[in-house]
Amino acid sequence: MNNLKIQSYTIDRTDFEKRNQHRGFALWFVGLSGSGKSTLANGLQAKLFENGFNAVVLDGDNTRLGINKDLGFSEKDRIENIRRVAEISKLFVETGHIVINAFISPFESNRIQARDIISDTDFIEVYINSSVSACEKRDVKGLYKKARTGEIIDFTGISSPFEAPIKPDIVVKTDEQTPDESIDYLFEQLKTKL
């Protein structure tokens, strides 16, 4: 029998947010490989830090080297990858952090699951919108080339579908802006939410 229950702690979310002088929430960066998710997540974290905000980045590569290293890229494993990350994000949000999640998150159903775990009021979907051709041009890992030659199967945007967000909270068009312009734009969009 499962005897688990949510623990009550002396310091709660409102205490963290009061000390931090900002609320906790999760940004969910959605986009193709090479769209700029990790670059913008890193840059936005630095800008938030410079301005006195507590922010943490959870990135697809980094989580797959640690907490999700036992997962592959099957549909089942991709779903579990997003579920675990959403649960971790929720823990950070509850301690007053801004969590910047940078994950391809190709399916609307995965993003809905993440929103449900974190909560609708704490989840901000950010579509890092870039064309496949622009992503291929800046493909530092050579993944698109491998996908085009069949070395990688089920590659999002080539041999596996990508469902663009239906109603993202913020859209950043990285094939129309420099990384610095995109980071500044994101920061301005977030000011009202902080």
Side-chain angles (χ1 to χ4, degrees):
M1 184 168 167
N2 184 341
N3 292 324
L4 301 175
K5 66 175 188 157
I6 295 175
Q7 293 293 320
S8 295
Y9 294 100
T10 304
I11 301 169
D12 67 15
R13 178 176 176 168
T14 56
D15 297 318
F16 285 111
E17 291 178 338
K18 184 176 178 182
R19 185 188 66 182
N20 295 345
Q21 297 182 9
H22 66 80
R23 64 182 288 261
F25 57 85
L27 297 166
W28 201 274
F29 285 16
V30 178
L32 294 169
S33 179
S35 62
K37 296 179 304 300
S38 296
T39 299
L40 297 186
N42 185 43
L44 181 61
Q45 181 191 35
K47 189 163 188 87
L48 288 165
F49 182 80
E50 290 166 8
N51 285 276
F53 299 102
N54 294 320
V56 62
V57 174
L58 298 178
D59 181 86
D61 288 347
N62 293 341
T63 56
R64 282 189 174 272
L65 291 170
I67 191 74
N68 291 335
K69 68 182 176 184
D70 62 322
L71 299 176
F73 290 91
S74 68
E75 185 176 343
K76 180 181 174 186
D77 284 355
R78 287 179 177 197
I79 291 168
E80 178 61 11
N81 179 52
I82 296 302
R83 187 197 69 78
R84 288 181 192 179
V85 170
E87 294 286 0
I88 294 166
S89 294
K90 181 179 179 176
L91 294 172
F92 276 113
V93 167
E94 289 175 352
T95 57
H97 285 79
I98 299 165
V99 188
I100 307 167
N101 296 279
F103 294 87
I104 293 172
S105 309
F107 303 113
E108 184 71 17
S109 60
N110 299 135
R111 300 187 297 265
I112 289 169
Q113 179 190 34
R115 184 184 293 268
D116 288 345
I117 291 168
I118 294 167
S119 92
D120 192 50
T121 56
D122 294 328
F123 186 94
I124 300 169
E125 186 176 58
V126 181
Y127 181 21
I128 309 301
N129 187 354
S130 185
S131 66
V132 172
S133 60
C135 291
E136 283 190 88
K137 286 177 187 171
R138 60 171 94 102
D139 181 20
V140 295
K141 299 177 188 174
L143 299 176
Y144 281 93
K145 184 177 180 182
K146 290 179 180 179
R148 295 272 186 209
T149 61
E151 290 179 63
I152 298 176
I153 56 170
D154 293 330
F155 188 77
T156 303
I158 303 297
S159 52
S160 183
F162 175 76
E163 298 172 358
I166 297 167
K167 287 186 172 183
D169 300 295
I170 301 171
V171 178
V172 182
K173 296 183 178 181
T174 57
D175 47 2
E176 296 177 9
Q177 297 177 317
T178 67
D180 286 341
E181 289 170 339
S182 296
I183 291 162
D184 289 342
Y185 173 75
L186 275 166
F187 186 72
E188 287 302 314
Q189 294 296 303
L190 292 176
K191 279 185 176 177
T192 60
K193 301 178 187 318
L194 295 166

